[in-house]
Amino acid sequence: MTTIENGTGTRELEGKRALVTGGSRGIGAAVVRQLLDAGAEVLTTARSATATVPEGAAFVAADVRTRAGAEALAAAAQEVLGGVDVLVHNAGGARPYEGASAIPDEEWQDALDLNFLASVRLDSLLVPGMRDRRSGAIVHVSSAAVPTVAPPFLHYTAAKAALENYSRGLASELAAFGIRVNTVSPGRTATPGGEATREQWAEVSARMDAAPGQTDADDTTPLGRDGQPDDIADAVLFLLSDRASWLTGSKLVVDGGEFPRG
């Protein structure tokens, strides 16, 4: 693949059409910036625009938690980009509760819709075009916290665990069509959303007894710092690029050693 040098490296995604969900701030905005730097044409989305939507990216407001929202976004991607070559599912999140029994039904459903089913629905709409072209790359953003099953976030980690299982299955299904599907699992990352979640977690933890598998929201990573959005975006860009052409069905954990792994 011919590359063109720029200030940050190479324009290895020159001519690619990219869609990034949850790209208005934090990790998503960093992914959008890196895709633009790599030469991609980028459409990003969130429920509302913020001042941190990277310059140069097209933006459309969409609620990916619903089938109608996914359909509207897929239509916008076709109109703005003419199709999607690379797809990054970054939208996600949930708020903590005092254990599984305290999580209302509607919060379980919302966690599933945002963190799992949004990817399933949007993939089902965009994968056929990739399959016709016999090429494409998809990255699902999960969470390094999945194995810890911390009680305040069981709805979130359960939804992300489902996403990881689905991602591996989809990778197996689409490999014959030249479409790669991988997962990036971030740990503690310095973003406005991450900071707000840690503050909520600290408040909830103060009201409940420590439970097996519960992680202290104030822990630091073995590498001694929080991750930065670009740390995660670097991993996403790698998996979308030809440098990862022999990687599919993989899970790349980017957490500074925060969570134990077997």
Side-chain angles (χ1 to χ4, degrees):
M1 181 178 196
T2 302
T3 56
I4 302 171
E5 296 293 333
N6 70 3
T8 59
T10 59
R11 292 178 67 83
E12 58 191 334
L13 295 180
E14 190 78 48
K16 298 293 186 182
R17 301 163 297 179
L19 174 60
V20 180
T21 68
S24 65
R25 62 177 186 166
I27 292 171
V31 170
V32 171
R33 284 193 297 271
Q34 291 207 18
L35 286 170
L36 290 168
D37 285 347
E41 182 182 2
V42 184
L43 171 65
T44 190
T45 184
R47 276 177 276 179
S48 59
T50 72
T52 56
V53 173
E55 184 178 356
F59 177 86
V60 60
D63 187 348
V64 296
R65 295 175 300 177
T66 68
R67 179 72 186 185
E71 290 174 346
L73 179 55
Q78 184 62 40
E79 180 179 350
V80 174
L81 301 175
V84 173
D85 302 303
V86 295
L87 175 58
V88 181
H89 295 279
N90 176 69
R95 60 178 179 172
Y97 284 85
E98 295 176 30
S101 61
I103 302 171
D105 282 355
E106 59 269 23
E107 289 291 332
W108 280 101
Q109 187 61 60
D110 189 69
L112 286 168
D113 283 331
L114 179 58
N115 298 287
F116 172 44
L117 292 175
S119 295
V120 174
R121 292 165 179 149
L122 194 54
D123 287 344
S124 73
L125 294 164
L126 296 177
V127 160
M130 295 181 181
R131 197 161 48 213
D132 290 344
R133 293 186 295 275
R134 302 189 73 83
S135 69
I138 300 171
V139 170
H140 298 113
V141 178
S142 181
S143 170
V146 166
T148 68
V149 293
F153 283 103
L154 278 178
H155 52 327
Y156 174 73
T157 55
K160 289 298 191 183
L163 177 67
E164 292 181 7
N165 185 274
Y166 158 76
S167 187
R168 289 192 298 271
L170 188 66
S172 179
E173 176 185 336
L174 298 180
F177 297 94
I179 303 167
R180 297 183 299 102
V181 184
N182 292 290
T183 301
V184 168
S185 296
R188 179 185 177 113
T189 308
T191 66
E195 183 57 36
T197 297
R198 286 189 287 275
E199 290 176 359
Q200 293 169 355
W201 193 341
E203 293 172 2
V204 168
S205 296
R207 297 195 299 268
M208 63 186 295
D209 294 332
Q214 185 172 335
T215 303
D216 188 342
D218 294 325
D219 281 350
T220 56
T221 71
L223 287 181
R225 68 171 178 87
D226 287 356
Q228 297 299 312
D230 277 325
D231 293 320
I232 314 305
D234 283 340
V236 172
L237 187 66
F238 166 69
L239 289 174
L240 293 174
S241 75
D242 284 351
R243 289 174 289 151
S245 62
W246 210 48
L247 281 177
T248 195
S250 296
K251 173 182 173 179
L252 182 52
V253 180
V254 190
D255 69 347
E258 179 182 2
F259 293 100
R261 294 186 285 279

